[in-house]
Amino acid sequence: MTCLVSDTWKNGKRKIVPYLDMLKILRDVSEYQSHKIIIGTDSVKSQQSFIFTSTICIFNEYENYDRTYFYNRKKIKDDSYYVLAKRLLKETSDSIEIANFLNAALDNPNLEIHIDVNTDPKHKSSKFKNTLIGYVTGCGFECRVKPESFVASSIADNHTRKAWCVIRN
């Protein structure tokens, strides 16, 4: 289970950001009319475990914290995540949990969730697309999938893979 308060969050430069500092930045950004806070989670198998990385990314055309992002990583040893459906559901649930927390903590959150599923039927994740989109939109959030889900499929993926390389070596 993901929790903004107890998790260790880092910025794009891999520096630890205290929860209250991150929340202050998100509150400052949410005061701007045309900002967006995007949340996405990705995962990868690493030896006998799975690494889940959640990312919060800020878009703000007024440049205050524009394209700033924060991420956290968790290593979980649970064989049930070998099942793609369960792993994708956890990724999506983690993102929704963060979004729900921010929705309550910010006055004007303007949240969007990016999920790491493909629309192309040749990819295994595509068969879960409608279910996961329904889950996100049913919770009241905008949703994007590949190729538009860059926070999950690029930013979170990048930090997930880097974690895998560090842990593996």
Side-chain angles (χ1 to χ4, degrees):
M1 189 171 252
T2 301
C3 180
L4 244 53
V5 179
S6 62
D7 288 346
T8 299
W9 288 86
K10 294 181 180 181
N11 62 21
K13 296 177 182 178
R14 298 190 192 117
K15 304 292 183 204
I16 293 176
V17 178
Y19 156 74
L20 290 175
D21 292 352
M22 183 176 69
L23 190 58
K24 182 186 180 323
I25 290 168
L26 293 169
R27 282 187 174 138
D28 288 348
V29 167
S30 69
E31 291 178 12
Y32 290 93
Q33 192 64 19
S34 63
H35 76 281
K36 186 165 291 264
I37 298 171
I38 306 169
I39 301 153
T41 302
D42 190 32
S43 64
V44 68
K45 183 184 175 319
S46 172
Q47 298 169 352
Q48 303 303 315
S49 301
F50 291 87
I51 297 171
F52 289 85
T53 302
S54 293
T55 305
I56 301 169
C57 185
I58 299 167
F59 279 82
N60 184 13
E61 72 178 36
Y62 296 105
E63 296 187 23
N64 246 10
Y65 304 108
D66 187 41
R67 291 176 176 52
T68 297
Y69 69 90
F70 307 98
Y71 70 95
N72 74 29
R73 292 189 301 233
K74 289 188 175 125
K75 185 176 182 180
I76 300 172
K77 188 170 184 167
D78 184 341
D79 290 345
S80 69
Y81 291 122
Y82 280 105
V83 177
L84 180 61
K86 179 152 184 179
R87 195 165 66 248
L88 290 172
L89 183 59
K90 176 167 178 35
E91 290 176 11
T92 306
S93 295
D94 285 357
S95 293
I96 289 171
E97 185 176 347
I98 293 167
N100 280 329
F101 187 92
L102 292 177
N103 207 29
L106 305 175
D107 290 333
N108 179 28
N110 194 20
L111 301 171
E112 182 174 284
I113 293 178
H114 288 190
I115 54 177
D116 194 27
V117 295
N118 208 305
T119 55
D120 187 340
K122 73 178 181 183
H123 296 281
K124 293 177 184 176
S125 67
S126 69
K127 65 182 171 184
F128 306 109
K129 178 186 68 154
N130 291 338
T131 301
L132 295 174
I133 290 172
Y135 182 24
V136 172
T137 57
C139 289
F141 301 108
E142 289 185 50
C143 183
R144 299 284 180 261
V145 297
K146 285 181 178 178
E148 298 173 352
S149 63
F150 60 90
V151 172
S153 59
S154 292
I155 300 172
D157 176 77
N158 182 42
H159 289 285
T160 304
R161 306 278 171 205
K162 285 184 181 177
W164 180 79
C165 293
V166 169
I167 291 169
R168 188 170 179 210
N169 293 330

